[in-house]
Amino acid sequence: MIAEAGLAALYLAAALALMQLAVSLVPALAPQAAQVARPLALAQGLLTAAAFACLIVLFVRTDLSVALVAANSHSAKPLLYRFAGTWGNHEGSMLLWVTVLALSGALLAVASRGIPERMLGATLGAQAALALGFYAFLLLASNPFARLDPAPVEGQGLNPLLQDPGLAFHPPTLYLGYVGLSVAFSLAVGALITRDVGPVLARAMRPWVLGSWVFLTVGIAAGSYWAYYELGWGGWWFWDPVENASLMPWLAATALLHSVSVLAARGGLRTWTMMLAVVAFSMSMVGTFLVRSGILTSVHAFAVDPTRGGFILALLLIYVGGALALFAWRAPAVGEGARFALVSREGALVLNNLLLSVILAVVFLGTLYPLMVEAATGEKLSVGPPYFDAVVGPLALLLMLLLVVGPLLRWRRHEAPLTKWVAPSLLAGVATLAATIILAPDISLLSRLGLVLGVALVPASLMPLAGRSLRRTPLATWGMAIAHLGVAVSVIGMASDSAFSRERLAAARPGEQLAVGPWLVAFNSVTPVAGPNWTAIEAELAVTQGGSERVLKPQARTFTSPVTETSEVAIATAWNGQLYTVLGRQSGQRWQLRLWWKPFVTLIWLGAGLIALGGLVSLIGRGWTNRRTRRRLAEAEL
């Protein structure tokens, strides 16, 4: 009955979404639409959450009478992976997607203070239209509660590469980011319908964009680290189409985050902000289409059914096409808002937006062009790291150069010299350039410039805090400084990994010693081991650096359901980087060992954590400011 209860909850939620949409479409009800839609949105969110809870219970119990559970679980799987396996497949991940969407609509309905009623009614109508399409997709093409009769004796298991703690956190955080952008999209649609685009809209939209951006940052960073330690190839980013599917909405959300700040603070960039809100959610939809259309083969891709991909493509065309048509109709009446000088904070943010948009266009074309060529001609093309590194790298460096100066400019017009403020960054950059030329003359130009600009951005990030009372400095300013510092730290990590990594591939016998970078690796032994649903060959490596010794145990695992061989890497982390070890195949008395020394690679994820922390601090600060503003207005009215 649990499966039937979950399905019934989904049907009821879809019916409520239809009613919520209908209320917003009736002109006579427009003034009261928000009042009627609020309880509908709340009930819809609760019902969808209940449906998702039912699916979790089915996976945890390994109820093999449910087709989805039988195809993606196994009774021998550890509890954590039975739980996380709920969203490790197409239907379950889609239900999670819809659950986040419905809960976002419910939160918007109950915590939407300050939004004009007519705009909120139109916004909740747009949110209901989005939800309705995805309910239809679930109920008509991807039912997660379909039964099997008779039920199989045992399930088929879960892809072993997904049996990792990272799976428990990576997809939910990404979906919170993807779907949170749907609220920004719906707010933009609501504002265009009611012709009310201004600072009030921006202040309502900004927390959703900030929250989505934080979750996307965490999700992308977690996915990058998961790929780094789980896939065994030693890299942290491959420009895989599925990786790009999460990067594209992050780039659009980053541009939107800066644009909406200008609209909230100065009333400028009105039409541009509306367009970015549409583009950001469109990129989320594009990512959803890519991983569910069957056009990609990847451990991240959930579906290989073009019919379901066609359904999502139709939703994408309806939602994005409809929003763009509305934008084209109403944009002339919206206007650009307050004007500003080219040399100003707003001017720097516009340039920031343009660079981010160009990078987004480059990634979009590089991701979809090979797929379009293959669909049209059958010819397979590959656009990989050489293209992206060569095009995106220089643009990202220009963006960093802008980060050094932009936050120091004044709003509207900047006329004072910046020499005093830029001097520390200039000195840090020149010193780094000289050091890399002397100590590492052979590294690539892109890596060298990355190190120079990364180091130069460290003091520049902290400059907005200089000369202030730190206790009275707004949290939003703290958040900006921390996030920009995170960008600097990440870029230093990326450039260091690219410039200074050392790799050694060897066929070694137990008892031999190998050297890579500053590490000495003693290959002690190879022994068989067993886990809950796998067996493995495990190497024991005694690794030493600077007199300290530790033991690493990389494994070559074999899973029986489904039959899969994986490499479980072993990593030694030091203050200055990581030693990364992989055990390969046996050849006679020798074993393949792949060793990497990766200096300062951990800064990549430390920087990502700082970026997310900066966004979180800013979100808290904005929320506190908005609350204080509302309280003052209420007191003034009294």
Side-chain angles (χ1 to χ4, degrees):
M1 289 298 292
I2 294 177
E4 286 70 27
L7 191 59
L10 271 185
Y11 272 108
L12 284 173
L16 293 179
L18 182 61
M19 293 170 63
Q20 187 178 325
L21 174 61
V23 165
S24 70
L25 292 177
V26 178
L29 295 178
Q32 295 82 31
Q35 297 175 25
V36 179
R38 275 193 178 103
L40 294 174
L42 180 59
Q44 184 200 144
L46 293 175
L47 282 168
T48 313
F52 187 65
C54 288
L55 190 62
I56 291 176
V57 171
L58 293 171
F59 266 88
V60 169
R61 290 184 174 183
T62 318
D63 186 342
L64 299 175
S65 68
V66 176
L68 186 66
V69 179
N72 296 281
S73 193
H74 191 283
S75 59
K77 258 191 343 185
L79 177 62
L80 173 63
Y81 303 135
R82 274 185 275 151
F83 176 78
T86 308
W87 50 83
N89 55 79
H90 166 71
E91 289 84 355
S93 67
M94 205 64 234
L95 181 54
L96 173 60
W97 211 100
V98 175
T99 302
V100 177
L101 182 71
L103 289 176
S104 298
L107 183 60
L108 177 68
V110 300
S112 51
R113 297 177 183 174
I115 304 177
E117 286 289 293
R118 289 181 68 90
M119 186 196 298
L120 180 60
T123 299
L124 291 175
Q127 194 72 6
L130 292 177
L132 195 57
F134 285 100
Y135 286 131
F137 178 65
L138 272 176
L139 295 171
L140 301 178
S142 302
N143 179 9
F145 298 106
R147 291 282 192 185
L148 273 180
D149 187 16
V153 176
E154 191 49 271
Q156 298 176 26
L158 175 69
N159 184 339
L161 289 175
L162 302 181
Q163 294 185 33
D164 182 87
L167 177 67
F169 308 104
H170 170 51
T173 49
L174 269 186
Y175 290 178
L176 285 167
Y178 284 153
V179 185
L181 290 174
S182 72
V183 179
F185 174 89
S186 296
L187 280 166
V189 170
L192 287 171
I193 290 174
T194 57
R195 298 184 175 88
D196 193 3
V197 178
V200 171
L201 165 70
R203 284 193 283 272
M205 185 185 289
R206 187 163 50 189
W208 291 96
V209 180
L210 255 174
S212 300
W213 184 78
V214 168
F215 281 118
L216 277 174
T217 303
V218 172
I220 291 171
S224 168
Y225 194 66
W226 170 82
Y228 172 76
Y229 72 76
E230 182 62 23
L231 300 185
W233 62 291
W236 47 271
W237 193 264
F238 192 65
W239 294 108
D240 177 86
V242 180
E243 292 175 338
N244 294 348
S246 61
L247 178 63
M248 288 188 288
W250 185 85
L251 289 167
T254 307
L256 176 59
L257 183 59
H258 290 87
S259 174
V260 81
S261 295
V262 176
L263 179 57
R266 304 294 162 180
L269 302 181
R270 294 183 178 184
T271 54
W272 179 245
T273 303
M274 294 301 96
M275 174 57 81
L276 279 179
V278 174
V279 169
F281 183 61
S282 303
M283 291 300 105
S284 294
M285 291 285 293
V286 168
T288 304
F289 168 70
L290 283 175
V291 298
R292 290 177 171 80
S293 61
I295 60 176
L296 296 178
T297 301
S298 166
V299 67
H300 306 77
F302 288 117
V304 291
D305 181 358
T307 303
R308 293 193 286 198
F311 201 127
I312 294 180
L313 184 59
L315 291 179
L316 175 65
L317 294 176
I318 292 170
Y319 294 145
V320 178
L324 289 177
L326 177 65
F327 177 81
W329 179 27
R330 291 291 171 84
V334 171
E336 269 307 314
R339 296 186 176 276
F340 49 85
L342 183 61
V343 182
S344 63
R345 179 78 68 88
E346 293 96 325
L349 289 173
V350 168
L351 191 53
N352 156 294
N353 269 221
L354 290 176
L355 285 169
L356 285 167
S357 299
V358 173
I359 293 173
L360 172 60
V362 168
V363 177
F364 184 83
L365 287 175
T367 304
L368 294 187
Y369 176 70
L371 304 176
M372 291 187 288
V373 169
E374 185 177 351
T377 67
E379 182 184 359
K380 287 186 178 293
L381 291 180
S382 176
V383 176
Y387 160 78
F388 289 107
D389 290 346
V391 182
V392 174
L395 291 169
L397 292 179
L398 280 176
L399 196 58
M400 291 194 63
L401 193 58
L402 184 63
L403 278 181
V404 172
V405 179
L408 303 176
L409 299 175
R410 294 183 182 279
W411 291 104
R412 296 191 186 281
R413 178 184 296 277
H414 186 93
E415 295 176 336
L418 288 173
T419 311
K420 182 178 73 172
W421 302 102
V422 175
S425 296
L426 192 61
L427 287 174
V430 170
T432 306
L433 178 63
T436 58
I437 290 174
I438 295 170
L439 302 175
D442 298 329
I443 64 175
S444 70
L445 178 62
L446 198 61
S447 297
R448 193 186 309 281
L449 291 177
L451 285 169
V452 168
L453 287 173
V455 173
L457 185 54
V458 171
S461 302
L462 302 176
M463 273 305 159
L465 302 175
R468 290 172 175 261
S469 167
L470 297 182
R471 289 182 57 190
R472 296 183 178 179
T473 299
L475 283 178
T477 304
W478 273 103
M480 178 187 70
I482 295 170
H484 287 183
L485 179 63
V487 173
V489 171
S490 273
V491 170
I492 292 171
M494 294 173 193
S496 297
D497 179 60
S498 173
F500 306 124
S501 279
R502 296 290 179 269
E503 179 183 2
R504 181 162 182 183
L505 177 62
R509 298 171 187 269
E512 291 187 17
Q513 288 192 334
L514 305 165
V516 56
W519 292 86
L520 184 63
V521 180
F523 184 12
N524 289 342
S525 62
V526 177
T527 55
V529 294
N533 59 340
W534 49 264
T535 59
I537 299 298
E538 181 178 274
E540 181 179 295
L541 307 176
V543 301
T544 55
Q545 180 194 207
S548 64
E549 179 178 309
R550 64 187 83 177
V551 175
L552 299 182
K553 296 182 176 181
Q555 298 175 344
R557 285 186 184 175
T558 300
F559 290 80
T560 55
S561 182
V563 178
T564 309
E565 294 183 354
T566 66
S567 292
E568 294 297 315
V569 307
I571 298 174
T573 301
W575 68 271
N576 57 346
Q578 289 186 327
L579 175 66
Y580 184 105
T581 65
V582 182
L583 175 65
R585 294 181 178 279
Q586 183 179 16
S587 176
Q589 298 298 313
R590 297 179 180 273
W591 293 82
Q592 290 180 356
L593 281 180
R594 188 180 288 272
L595 311 173
W596 277 278
W597 163 235
K598 306 177 86 58
F600 298 107
V601 68
T602 46
L603 293 184
I604 296 172
W605 300 290
L606 174 62
L610 286 173
I611 294 170
L613 176 63
L616 181 62
V617 169
S618 186
L619 180 62
I620 294 171
R622 297 293 185 191
W624 178 259
T625 302
N626 289 345
R627 183 180 176 186
R628 193 169 52 186
T629 302
R630 284 196 299 270
R631 185 185 301 166
R632 286 177 179 172
L633 289 174
E635 290 172 354
E637 289 175 357
L638 292 176

PDB file of all heavy atoms in Angstrom, residues 27 48 67 123 135 157 312 334 338 346 442 469 471 531 581:
ATOM      1  N   PRO A  27      -9.054  36.250 -14.809  1.00  0.00           N
ATOM      2  CA  PRO A  27      -8.838  37.684 -14.522  1.00  0.00           C
ATOM      3  C   PRO A  27      -9.643  38.188 -13.332  1.00  0.00           C
ATOM      4  O   PRO A  27      -9.152  38.998 -12.544  1.00  0.00           O
ATOM      5  CB  PRO A  27      -9.290  38.356 -15.826  1.00  0.00           C
ATOM      6  CG  PRO A  27      -9.126  37.299 -16.876  1.00  0.00           C
ATOM      7  CD  PRO A  27      -9.446  36.003 -16.205  1.00  0.00           C
ATOM      8  N   THR A  48       3.619  16.198  -2.103  1.00  0.00           N
ATOM      9  CA  THR A  48       4.761  15.720  -2.895  1.00  0.00           C
ATOM     10  C   THR A  48       5.865  15.200  -1.981  1.00  0.00           C
ATOM     11  O   THR A  48       6.497  14.177  -2.274  1.00  0.00           O
ATOM     12  CB  THR A  48       5.297  16.853  -3.785  1.00  0.00           C
ATOM     13  OG1 THR A  48       4.211  17.480  -4.446  1.00  0.00           O
ATOM     14  CG2 THR A  48       6.265  16.313  -4.830  1.00  0.00           C
ATOM     15  N   ALA A  67       8.929  -1.875  -9.353  1.00  0.00           N
ATOM     16  CA  ALA A  67       9.874  -2.056 -10.466  1.00  0.00           C
ATOM     17  C   ALA A  67      11.132  -1.213 -10.281  1.00  0.00           C
ATOM     18  O   ALA A  67      12.252  -1.678 -10.557  1.00  0.00           O
ATOM     19  CB  ALA A  67       9.183  -1.699 -11.781  1.00  0.00           C
ATOM     20  N   THR A 123       3.014  34.904  -9.740  1.00  0.00           N
ATOM     21  CA  THR A 123       4.216  34.086  -9.521  1.00  0.00           C
ATOM     22  C   THR A 123       3.850  32.665  -9.112  1.00  0.00           C
ATOM     23  O   THR A 123       4.409  31.685  -9.626  1.00  0.00           O
ATOM     24  CB  THR A 123       5.090  34.728  -8.427  1.00  0.00           C
ATOM     25  OG1 THR A 123       5.485  36.027  -8.856  1.00  0.00           O
ATOM     26  CG2 THR A 123       6.329  33.889  -8.160  1.00  0.00           C
ATOM     27  N   TYR A 135       4.719  17.010 -12.954  1.00  0.00           N
ATOM     28  CA  TYR A 135       3.818  15.954 -12.461  1.00  0.00           C
ATOM     29  C   TYR A 135       3.360  15.084 -13.635  1.00  0.00           C
ATOM     30  O   TYR A 135       3.307  13.852 -13.528  1.00  0.00           O
ATOM     31  CB  TYR A 135       2.592  16.567 -11.785  1.00  0.00           C
ATOM     32  CG  TYR A 135       2.851  17.163 -10.424  1.00  0.00           C
ATOM     33  CD1 TYR A 135       2.418  18.439 -10.098  1.00  0.00           C
ATOM     34  CD2 TYR A 135       3.518  16.443  -9.446  1.00  0.00           C
ATOM     35  CE1 TYR A 135       2.650  18.997  -8.854  1.00  0.00           C
ATOM     36  CE2 TYR A 135       3.759  16.985  -8.192  1.00  0.00           C
ATOM     37  CZ  TYR A 135       3.322  18.262  -7.902  1.00  0.00           C
ATOM     38  OH  TYR A 135       3.554  18.804  -6.667  1.00  0.00           O
ATOM     39  N   GLY A 157      20.532  -4.307  -8.058  1.00  0.00           N
ATOM     40  CA  GLY A 157      21.621  -3.525  -7.461  1.00  0.00           C
ATOM     41  C   GLY A 157      21.689  -2.112  -7.987  1.00  0.00           C
ATOM     42  O   GLY A 157      20.849  -1.672  -8.773  1.00  0.00           O
ATOM     43  N   ILE A 312      10.692  16.001 -21.937  1.00  0.00           N
ATOM     44  CA  ILE A 312      11.357  17.120 -21.246  1.00  0.00           C
ATOM     45  C   ILE A 312      11.690  18.234 -22.229  1.00  0.00           C
ATOM     46  O   ILE A 312      11.586  19.421 -21.898  1.00  0.00           O
ATOM     47  CB  ILE A 312      12.624  16.618 -20.527  1.00  0.00           C
ATOM     48  CG1 ILE A 312      12.224  15.674 -19.402  1.00  0.00           C
ATOM     49  CG2 ILE A 312      13.427  17.776 -19.962  1.00  0.00           C
ATOM     50  CD1 ILE A 312      13.377  15.127 -18.621  1.00  0.00           C
ATOM     51  N   VAL A 334       9.329  47.826 -19.636  1.00  0.00           N
ATOM     52  CA  VAL A 334      10.083  47.692 -18.381  1.00  0.00           C
ATOM     53  C   VAL A 334      11.163  48.766 -18.282  1.00  0.00           C
ATOM     54  O   VAL A 334      11.348  49.412 -17.258  1.00  0.00           O
ATOM     55  CB  VAL A 334      10.700  46.277 -18.286  1.00  0.00           C
ATOM     56  CG1 VAL A 334      11.665  46.202 -17.101  1.00  0.00           C
ATOM     57  CG2 VAL A 334       9.597  45.230 -18.137  1.00  0.00           C
ATOM     58  N   ALA A 338      17.633  53.093 -13.563  1.00  0.00           N
ATOM     59  CA  ALA A 338      18.600  54.148 -13.255  1.00  0.00           C
ATOM     60  C   ALA A 338      19.863  54.014 -14.099  1.00  0.00           C
ATOM     61  O   ALA A 338      20.356  52.916 -14.319  1.00  0.00           O
ATOM     62  CB  ALA A 338      18.956  54.084 -11.773  1.00  0.00           C
ATOM     63  N   GLU A 346      28.391  49.707 -10.909  1.00  0.00           N
ATOM     64  CA  GLU A 346      27.442  49.106 -11.844  1.00  0.00           C
ATOM     65  C   GLU A 346      28.135  48.728 -13.160  1.00  0.00           C
ATOM     66  O   GLU A 346      27.858  47.662 -13.733  1.00  0.00           O
ATOM     67  CB  GLU A 346      26.295  50.072 -12.146  1.00  0.00           C
ATOM     68  CG  GLU A 346      25.383  50.347 -10.961  1.00  0.00           C
ATOM     69  CD  GLU A 346      25.783  51.614 -10.241  1.00  0.00           C
ATOM     70  OE1 GLU A 346      26.995  51.886 -10.179  1.00  0.00           O
ATOM     71  OE2 GLU A 346      24.901  52.326  -9.740  1.00  0.00           O
ATOM     72  N   ASP A 442      59.225  26.520 -16.696  1.00  0.00           N
ATOM     73  CA  ASP A 442      58.642  25.709 -17.766  1.00  0.00           C
ATOM     74  C   ASP A 442      57.125  25.553 -17.689  1.00  0.00           C
ATOM     75  O   ASP A 442      56.544  24.867 -18.519  1.00  0.00           O
ATOM     76  CB  ASP A 442      59.282  24.303 -17.748  1.00  0.00           C
ATOM     77  CG  ASP A 442      60.783  24.370 -18.002  1.00  0.00           C
ATOM     78  OD1 ASP A 442      61.206  25.285 -18.737  1.00  0.00           O
ATOM     79  OD2 ASP A 442      61.514  23.537 -17.442  1.00  0.00           O
ATOM     80  N   SER A 469      34.970  49.461  10.636  1.00  0.00           N
ATOM     81  CA  SER A 469      34.758  48.770  11.898  1.00  0.00           C
ATOM     82  C   SER A 469      34.202  47.391  11.555  1.00  0.00           C
ATOM     83  O   SER A 469      33.075  47.274  11.043  1.00  0.00           O
ATOM     84  CB  SER A 469      33.757  49.543  12.768  1.00  0.00           C
ATOM     85  OG  SER A 469      33.350  48.719  13.839  1.00  0.00           O
ATOM     86  N   ARG A 471      33.032  44.998  13.209  1.00  0.00           N
ATOM     87  CA  ARG A 471      31.794  44.586  13.878  1.00  0.00           C
ATOM     88  C   ARG A 471      30.577  45.227  13.224  1.00  0.00           C
ATOM     89  O   ARG A 471      29.490  44.667  13.236  1.00  0.00           O
ATOM     90  CB  ARG A 471      31.843  44.974  15.356  1.00  0.00           C
ATOM     91  CG  ARG A 471      32.818  44.136  16.180  1.00  0.00           C
ATOM     92  CD  ARG A 471      32.787  44.546  17.638  1.00  0.00           C
ATOM     93  NE  ARG A 471      31.438  44.449  18.199  1.00  0.00           N
ATOM     94  CZ  ARG A 471      31.102  44.925  19.387  1.00  0.00           C
ATOM     95  NH1 ARG A 471      32.009  45.552  20.132  1.00  0.00           N
ATOM     96  NH2 ARG A 471      29.879  44.787  19.842  1.00  0.00           N
ATOM     97  N   GLY A 531      33.967  -6.961   1.359  1.00  0.00           N
ATOM     98  CA  GLY A 531      33.038  -6.011   1.959  1.00  0.00           C
ATOM     99  C   GLY A 531      31.641  -6.577   1.948  1.00  0.00           C
ATOM    100  O   GLY A 531      31.444  -7.755   1.643  1.00  0.00           O
ATOM    101  N   THR A 581      46.915   7.532  -5.007  1.00  0.00           N
ATOM    102  CA  THR A 581      47.425   6.226  -5.446  1.00  0.00           C
ATOM    103  C   THR A 581      46.281   5.350  -5.956  1.00  0.00           C
ATOM    104  O   THR A 581      45.185   5.334  -5.394  1.00  0.00           O
ATOM    105  CB  THR A 581      48.130   5.500  -4.283  1.00  0.00           C
ATOM    106  OG1 THR A 581      47.173   5.192  -3.264  1.00  0.00           O
ATOM    107  CG2 THR A 581      49.230   6.352  -3.683  1.00  0.00           C
TER     108      THR A 581
END
